[in-house]
Amino acid sequence: MQHDTANKNGMIMIPDISGFTDFVIKSNMFVGKYITESLLKSVMDSNIVCLEISEVEGDAILFYKYHNLPTFEETLMQIEQMYNDFQKECKRLALQLAIEIPLSLKIIVHYGEFTKYKIGKFEKLYGAPVVEAHKMLKNHIAEYPPYALFSNAFLEINFDQPEKATVAYDNCEDCKYLPEIGYIHYL
């Protein structure tokens, strides 16, 4: 086992497909796999701020960036690009396959100190912000996608943060380690 011992502050972004569990259970395995692969690829290809990919986690992609972090406005443009490309691909696939695709996208943005480690050919992220970003996916607005959630940690380091646009949102169940969520952006 090899270790990257450098802890660095950085940004974490997780685009996550909403409705995925029901979709997998209700769809043909080969058609579902094709749709999932196409939708995740559309999100990967829409990466205009040069985020790095840590891993694909079933219905989500764990992106991160240590240097040259995008501003709040650039992050919004990135999110909207991902969402628009995802929607475009959903419509294309629905037409191609003549089926309804009841999927949407939610995106989490967080910031903090994390590191990487390597096991064989796999490189993983490690640190509290990684766990916190995943916990942000489990929230009370989950049934209202599409949306993007920004943690206060991300907003506080970003000099372009929106003034008076933040809303208090820290009342989720079992979120002992969840940082306060500071901003909700409906797509």
Side-chain angles (χ1 to χ4, degrees):
M1 182 177 357
Q2 296 176 333
H3 298 277
D4 178 354
T5 57
N7 292 0
K8 302 175 191 168
N9 286 323
M11 168 187 181
I12 294 171
M13 180 183 284
I14 306 175
D16 179 84
I17 299 175
S18 293
F20 186 74
T21 302
D22 285 344
F23 176 75
V24 169
I25 291 168
K26 294 176 181 174
S27 62
N28 171 289
M29 186 184 311
F30 299 105
V31 172
K33 181 177 101 36
Y34 172 69
I35 290 169
T36 302
E37 183 179 355
S38 298
L39 291 174
L40 289 173
K41 185 171 179 343
S42 77
V43 172
M44 285 178 180
D45 290 347
S46 67
N47 182 1
I48 58 175
V49 295
C50 302
L51 300 167
E52 294 186 56
I53 296 174
S54 172
E55 59 186 296
V56 177
E57 305 169 327
D59 63 336
I61 302 168
L62 177 55
F63 287 103
Y64 70 99
K65 187 166 186 165
Y66 283 126
H67 306 290
N68 302 319
L69 298 183
T71 64
F72 182 80
E73 287 303 317
E74 290 168 337
T75 303
L76 277 184
M77 288 182 351
Q78 173 62 76
I79 287 167
E80 288 170 0
Q81 182 74 47
M82 284 179 175
Y83 176 72
N84 290 336
D85 289 355
F86 178 90
Q87 285 299 107
K88 218 181 290 180
E89 186 63 8
C90 256
K91 288 176 184 169
R92 186 191 73 75
L93 290 165
L95 280 173
Q96 176 192 7
L97 302 169
I99 61 170
E100 183 184 344
I101 303 174
L103 299 173
S104 191
L105 201 60
K106 60 186 176 194
I107 300 175
I108 302 301
V109 182
H110 190 30
Y111 175 85
E113 184 180 31
F114 55 95
T115 190
K116 297 187 284 189
Y117 65 95
K118 198 167 186 169
I119 300 176
K121 63 179 182 174
F122 299 102
E123 197 168 77
K124 306 280 286 173
L125 297 183
Y126 180 84
V130 180
V131 173
E132 293 164 352
H134 283 87
K135 285 209 174 263
M136 287 172 69
L137 288 166
K138 311 222 180 304
N139 60 66
H140 292 290
I141 60 167
E143 61 268 13
Y144 305 109
Y147 62 80
L149 289 179
F150 298 81
S151 69
N152 274 347
F154 177 77
L155 293 174
E156 287 168 4
I157 61 97
N158 200 312
F159 59 90
D160 281 346
Q161 67 179 316
E163 288 187 35
K164 298 183 181 175
T166 60
V167 294
Y169 193 82
D170 59 352
N171 59 343
C172 78
E173 299 164 15
D174 192 34
C175 289
K176 180 178 171 186
Y177 302 107
L178 180 66
E180 182 181 350
I181 298 169
Y183 184 80
I184 302 170
H185 176 69
Y186 289 97
L187 298 168

